[in-house]
Amino acid sequence: MWGLVPLFWPLLKPSAALEILAHRMVWSLLFVAVGLVALRRWAWVKDLVRQPKKLALVAVAAIVISVNWGLYIWSVNSGHVVEASLGYFINPLVTIAIGVLLLKERLRPAQWAAVAIGVLAVLVLAIGYGQPPWISLTLAFSFATYGLVKKKVNLGGLESLAAETVILFLPALGYLVWLQARGTATFGAEGAGNALLLASTGLVTAVPLVCFGAAAIRVPLSTLGLLQYLAPLFQFALGVAYFHEAMPAERWAGFSLVWLALTILTWEALRTGRRARAEKARLTEALRVAEAERPAGAEARTPSTAPAGAPAQTAPAQTAPAQAAPAQGAADPTS
């Protein structure tokens, strides 16, 4: 869905990027509120209000995502689709780096190599542009920060988006009222089609963002980063093939390095996943064999910490796993 959204924003012209952003904030809350009413999920509100630190994190998430939204809309409608896509190509690498620096996630050598190649790509593009690719870097760091905060807040996707849009609602609505009072608002002035499209920004925003919010608290940031390069792949293809943006040699070189880094990440993730599955299967088989070879009626003894001479305690033969899997939706900062 995020990969195809560059086709949507130009339909909202002549609305300016800031006006589109304000409509996006206002209508997103309305769509999310309908979802919460339908699902009857309001219990989280009291808990959130009672936790000022968590509420502050939600406010940070709201500010960061509004910067990301506004810059991306401006980039697409100003002919910078390819550069915007680069930001989301870089984003997985930034997300992984944040996971290492702040969450103490451990990277394997191949992942370190991918991050290093990503840094080299940014340098190549900076030399080619004559300046750092600020649009790309701002989009990458703002969205990676958003992912980190979402993981720390640990709210469901729908609840998190609702909390963020509540914070953004009044400033956005106030700006739209101000535009209307000045007579410079496009909502209603450009016909019913433009008004309906502006209202649909809430749906375009809410659906993919709820999906992202639900994923952010369920998987490690490194995995989340790996999945996120699918969207910029579509965006890049649209920028080149549909919007016909220029691709000089230095831009191809920079993008090629980024794609090389993402290829390494993909290969490493697939290899690690296969190893993990093989190890799990091996342990399961070993446990099955051990259970089969245990004499009938035997009891599994657990180490006793009682003083010498005290009766040893026993546990039933069929014991529960030593460590239960985390509940669905629980964040694991050590992943």
Side-chain angles (χ1 to χ4, degrees), residues 218 248 275:
R218 285 169 169 79
R275 286 182 176 179

Side-chain angles (χ1 to χ4, degrees), residues 26-334:
V26 170
W27 293 107
S28 293
L29 178 60
L30 297 180
F31 278 104
V32 171
V34 170
L36 290 173
V37 170
L39 297 173
R40 298 180 180 179
R41 286 158 60 173
W42 298 104
W44 58 274
V45 176
K46 292 182 179 179
D47 294 335
L48 181 61
V49 172
R50 293 169 182 170
Q51 301 179 64
K53 291 184 178 180
K54 201 169 185 177
L55 197 57
L57 285 175
V58 172
V60 171
I63 294 170
V64 170
I65 198 60
S66 63
V67 170
N68 185 275
W69 287 352
L71 179 59
Y72 184 74
I73 294 169
W74 177 87
S75 301
V76 171
N77 286 356
S78 301
H80 298 282
V81 176
V82 170
E83 192 171 351
S85 75
L86 176 63
Y88 291 108
F89 275 125
I90 298 174
N91 177 61
L93 304 174
V94 175
T95 303
I96 290 173
I98 287 178
V100 172
L101 296 175
L102 300 183
L103 301 184
K104 308 303 179 184
E105 295 180 358
R106 294 182 180 180
L107 294 189
R108 293 173 291 277
Q111 292 174 310
W112 279 116
V115 173
I117 293 172
V119 173
L120 178 61
V122 172
L123 292 176
V124 169
L125 289 166
I127 293 172
Y129 285 137
Q131 62 179 7
W134 293 117
I135 294 175
S136 305
L137 291 174
T138 303
L139 289 173
F141 276 91
S142 61
F143 203 71
T145 303
Y146 180 68
L148 172 65
V149 175
K150 295 277 276 191
K151 194 173 184 70
K152 292 290 187 182
V153 171
N154 194 21
L155 276 177
L158 195 63
E159 293 87 346
S160 181
L161 180 58
E164 293 158 17
T165 49
V166 164
I167 293 173
L168 298 171
F169 180 80
L170 287 179
L173 183 62
Y175 177 72
L176 292 177
V177 171
W178 179 72
L179 286 180
Q180 204 72 37
R182 290 185 59 194
T184 56
T186 58
F187 186 80
E190 296 295 328
N194 178 264
L196 287 173
L197 286 171
L198 285 171
S200 67
T201 56
L203 189 62
V204 171
T205 299
V207 175
L209 207 56
V210 166
C211 294
F212 175 78
I217 61 173
R218 285 169 169 79
V219 297
L221 280 179
S222 53
T223 304
L224 197 64
L226 182 64
L227 296 173
Q228 285 175 31
Y229 70 80
L230 293 175
L233 185 62
F234 290 117
Q235 295 169 9
F236 173 80
L238 288 172
V240 175
Y242 182 79
F243 294 102
H244 305 291
E245 294 188 14
M247 284 295 294
E250 62 273 12
R251 182 174 279 189
W252 278 114
F255 271 86
S256 297
L257 287 171
V258 172
W259 293 334
L260 174 61
L262 296 176
T263 300
I264 293 173
L265 284 180
T266 303
W267 168 78
E268 174 67 12
L270 293 175
R271 186 184 67 164
T272 303
R274 283 195 299 268
R275 286 182 176 179
R277 288 191 295 270
E279 179 66 15
K280 182 179 180 180
R282 187 187 68 79
L283 292 175
T284 301
E285 178 63 18
L287 181 61
R288 187 190 66 79
V289 171
E291 290 287 344
E293 293 177 351
R294 180 178 297 167
E299 293 180 331
R301 295 183 178 273
T302 57
S304 175
T305 57
Q313 297 180 349
T314 60
Q318 295 183 343
T319 57
Q323 182 178 359
Q328 184 181 25
D332 180 11
T334 63

